[in-house]
Amino acid sequence: MIGKITAPRGERVEGLIYYLFGPGRREEHTDPHIVAGWRHPAELEPPLRADGRRDFRRLLGLLNQPHAAMGAWGLARPVWHCSMRAAPEDKMLSDDEWAQIAFDVMRRTGLAPRGCEDDAVRWVAIRHGGDHIHIVAMLARQDGRRPRLGNDRYRVREACLAAEQRYGLRRTAPGDRTAGCRTSRAESEKAARRGLVEAPRLTLRRHVSTAAATAGTEGEFFGRLRESGVLVRVRRSIRDPGELTGYAVALPGDASEAGEPVWYGGGKLAADLTLPKLRRRWAGLADEPFTAAERDAVWDHAARTADRAFAEVQVLAGTDPASAADAAWAAADTLHAAAAALGSRILRQAADAYDRAARVPYGRIPVRTPTGDGLRRAARLLSAYGYLTHDPSFRPIVLIVRLAVLVEAIGVLRETQGCAAQAAAAFGAAERLRAAEESYAMSPTGDRFPARSAAVLAGAGFPVAPSSLPAGARAPAAARPGAPSGSPRPGSQSRRR
C-alpha cells in the first residue's frame, strides 16, 4: 500500500471536495462516498438534491468551522490531503477496512489521536474506486489550537505497513530514509526542455559521490568537484570564518528565472553527502600514503580488497548483520571510483543504483571497520593511479566480477535485515555490474579510460614516490594514455579464461 501526501497544502477545501466527488480527470471516480470521518459517515455524506446533484453546504461548513473560528491564528494553507492506494493485485478491501486504515493514519500522524477525537481536527475519508481512498483534513483543532504536524509522511508510511500486515496485502519497503532526494516534476520538465538526459540534481549527486569516494580531505573533495566542472559554494561559520560548515553545488548553465545558478546543498542530494558525514568518511584516510606495491598493482589490490570484504559480509550476514554496515557503505566508494577510472557508462549506472543499498537507515553513520577502510583506500588508489596503468588484460574485469559478488552479498545482507528497498538496489546494481563485465570484455582498449587534463597527467608522471626507490634504481616511465602495456589483449587467451 502506498500513501502520498499532496504538497504544497491547499488554501481552500471546497475545490478539493468538489473534485473528489466529481467524475475525475479521466472518469475514474466511480461511486464516490465517505467511508470515515470525525463523525459517522452517514452524518457527513452530502445529500442529493432534487436535480440529482449533491449538496455540499453542510459538509463544507462543518469542515471550515474550526479554521474560521481561529481567525488570524489559522494557517494560510490548512488543507491536508493524503491519498492511499492498494496494489492492483491485492484483494478488494471493504468500506469498513478502508475506514480502519484511515483512522490509523489520523491517529499515527497525531491529527486525531485516540480518545481526543472531539478536540482534534475535522476530517473525512472519501472512497471512489475499488483500490484507493482520499483523506482530507483541515489543520485546525476543534479546541482552537493548531495541530502538531511533524514527520507525517513517515507516519503515513507506518500506517501503510500496518495495513499490509493486517489485511495480507502486497508488502512494501519501510520508509527508512535511505533513498536519495527525488527530483521534482518541475526539475524533470525543465531538464526535458533543455534536452538533458537527466535532471541536474541526479548529475550533481553522481559528481559529489565520485568526488567524495576518491578524496581524502576537504581540499581534495572541493578540488575534484571543480575539476569535473561543477560550481562549488562553501558556507562558513559566523563565529569562526575559517571553519567550513557546509557546501552547495550547481551545474553550469542550470539557472533560475533570475539568471542565478540553482544550488543544491549536500543534504538535498543524499542523506550521506552532508559535510559532517563526509568528514566522518575521510577520517584517517589522508594520513596513509600508498605503498609502491599498491601503486604498481592497482587493480589486483582493489580486487583482493573486494574479495576480503565479500568474505566478511557473507559471514556477518548470518551472525551480526549490523557489523557489516561500514563495509556496505564503503563499497559505494569503490564502485564510484572504478566507474570513474574505467569510464564505463554501465558501471556508472551500477554505482548510482547501489547508492541506496550503501546507506544506513535513518541517516546513522556506521562504526568504522578495517574492511570498510580497506575499500575506501582502494577507491582512492583507483582514483589516483588506476587510469595510469591502462591495463588491457583481464585485471579490471576481475575487479568488476569481485565487486558484483560483493554487491550480491550485500543484497543478501539487506534482505536479512528486512531492508527490502536496499536489497533491491543492491541486486539491481549487481545485474548492471554483470552487464559491465561483458561490455568491458568486448570493448576496444582505447574506449575504456576517460580523458584526463594535462595538469592531472603531469602530476601523475611519477607513479612511484622517490623515497620508495632503492639506491641506483631508475624511476619507471609514466604510461601514455591509451598506450599498450605489453599484456595480452582482451581477445586473446586471457579473455577465454
Side-chain angles (χ1 to χ4, degrees):
M1 178 167 292
I2 301 297
K4 180 181 179 181
I5 298 176
T6 302
R9 296 195 300 264
E11 297 180 5
R12 295 176 58 84
V13 73
E14 288 82 356
L16 179 58
I17 294 296
Y18 294 153
Y19 168 74
L20 294 179
F21 275 95
R25 293 187 176 92
R26 300 177 182 84
E27 302 293 334
E28 71 274 17
H29 296 180
T30 59
D31 187 24
H33 59 283
I34 296 177
V35 296
W38 85 97
R39 291 185 181 178
H40 194 278
E43 301 180 35
L44 302 174
E45 186 71 26
L48 291 175
R49 295 175 176 176
D51 57 1
R53 295 184 300 175
R54 292 182 181 269
D55 185 359
F56 297 102
R57 290 176 297 178
R58 181 174 181 274
L59 173 61
L60 295 176
L62 290 174
L63 285 173
N64 282 316
Q65 188 176 22
H67 182 258
M70 293 182 68
W73 292 99
L75 296 174
R77 292 182 174 272
V79 183
W80 186 85
H81 175 211
C82 175
S83 55
M84 306 192 68
R85 182 181 296 273
E89 64 271 17
D90 283 338
K91 67 177 183 179
M92 183 75 70
L93 298 177
S94 65
D95 284 354
D96 290 339
E97 290 172 331
W98 277 117
Q100 292 301 318
I101 294 173
F103 276 113
D104 192 30
V105 168
M106 299 303 292
R107 290 163 182 165
R108 289 178 184 269
T109 56
L111 295 176
R114 187 185 300 273
C116 303
E117 290 83 0
D118 293 337
D119 295 330
V121 303
R122 293 184 176 181
W123 62 279
V124 291
I126 302 172
R127 179 180 185 181
H128 47 54
D131 60 351
H132 68 284
I133 62 171
H134 294 261
I135 304 175
V136 181
M138 290 294 293
L139 299 183
R141 290 173 55 93
Q142 299 177 71
D143 57 6
R145 296 183 298 161
R146 288 182 178 181
R148 293 183 178 180
L149 195 66
N151 292 328
D152 52 343
R153 287 175 171 79
Y154 299 107
R155 304 291 84 81
V156 170
R157 183 87 279 270
E158 293 172 359
C160 291
L161 296 176
E164 292 168 1
Q165 184 176 5
R166 184 184 307 118
Y167 300 113
L169 307 179
R170 177 182 174 182
R171 304 301 294 270
T172 55
D176 54 6
R177 311 188 191 190
T178 55
C181 297
R182 293 185 177 181
T183 57
S184 64
R185 179 177 178 180
E187 291 174 342
S188 301
E189 292 178 351
K190 180 180 178 181
R193 289 195 302 269
R194 294 177 56 197
L196 301 178
V197 178
E198 60 186 5
R201 185 192 297 268
L202 301 179
T203 305
L204 288 170
R205 183 188 303 163
R206 183 181 305 110
H207 282 305
V208 173
S209 298
T210 304
T214 58
T217 62
E218 293 179 19
E220 291 183 19
F221 172 65
F222 293 127
R224 294 183 186 276
L225 283 178
R226 294 187 177 95
E227 180 187 336
S228 63
V230 174
L231 303 179
V232 180
R233 184 180 65 184
V234 297
R235 184 177 67 250
R236 299 186 179 276
S237 172
I238 299 177
R239 296 182 179 179
D240 184 6
E243 179 185 357
L244 296 182
T245 58
Y247 72 97
V249 291
L251 282 182
D254 182 26
S256 61
E257 294 182 355
E260 298 292 331
V262 180
W263 297 97
Y264 296 88
K268 296 298 183 181
L269 301 176
D272 58 343
L273 295 181
T274 61
L275 189 57
K277 292 182 180 178
L278 291 178
R279 286 168 175 164
R280 294 279 297 273
R281 179 188 299 189
W282 298 325
L285 291 180
D287 298 330
E288 299 180 7
F290 299 122
T291 65
E294 288 175 329
R295 290 192 293 267
D296 292 341
V298 174
W299 299 103
D300 292 340
H301 174 79
R304 288 195 301 270
T305 303
D307 198 27
R308 288 193 296 268
F310 158 73
E312 180 171 332
V313 169
Q314 193 176 37
V315 172
L316 293 176
T319 57
D320 187 10
S323 299
D326 188 51
W329 189 31
D333 289 0
T334 310
L335 279 171
H336 280 291
L342 293 175
S344 169
R345 178 181 59 85
I346 303 178
L347 195 58
R348 184 189 67 189
Q349 294 173 347
D352 292 343
Y354 176 76
D355 275 344
R356 182 169 189 177
R359 300 185 186 110
V360 180
Y362 307 105
R364 293 190 295 265
I365 298 296
V367 179
R368 298 182 70 93
T369 61
T371 302
D373 286 342
L375 288 170
R376 296 184 186 93
R377 185 180 175 86
R380 295 187 62 228
L381 185 64
L382 287 172
S383 173
Y385 301 102
Y387 64 91
L388 288 176
T389 62
H390 291 260
D391 191 346
S393 69
F394 61 89
R395 291 178 181 175
I397 304 179
V398 171
L399 173 61
I400 296 174
V401 172
R402 300 290 174 81
L403 288 175
V405 173
L406 171 61
V407 169
E408 287 174 349
I410 293 174
V412 175
L413 170 73
R414 295 309 190 194
E415 278 189 336
T416 303
Q417 295 174 317
C419 303
Q422 291 172 279
F427 290 134
E431 292 179 1
R432 289 177 171 86
L433 285 170
R434 299 296 186 187
E437 172 193 349
E438 298 177 1
S439 174
Y440 183 83
M442 297 174 61
S443 64
T445 304
D447 296 338
R448 299 176 189 167
F449 298 93
R452 296 286 177 145
S453 64
V456 175
L457 291 175
F462 297 95
V464 179
S467 59
S468 62
L469 290 174
R474 297 177 58 188
R480 293 181 292 105
S485 61
S487 301
R489 290 188 173 273
S492 64
Q493 182 179 2
S494 298
R495 195 169 73 181
R496 290 195 295 269
R497 296 180 184 177

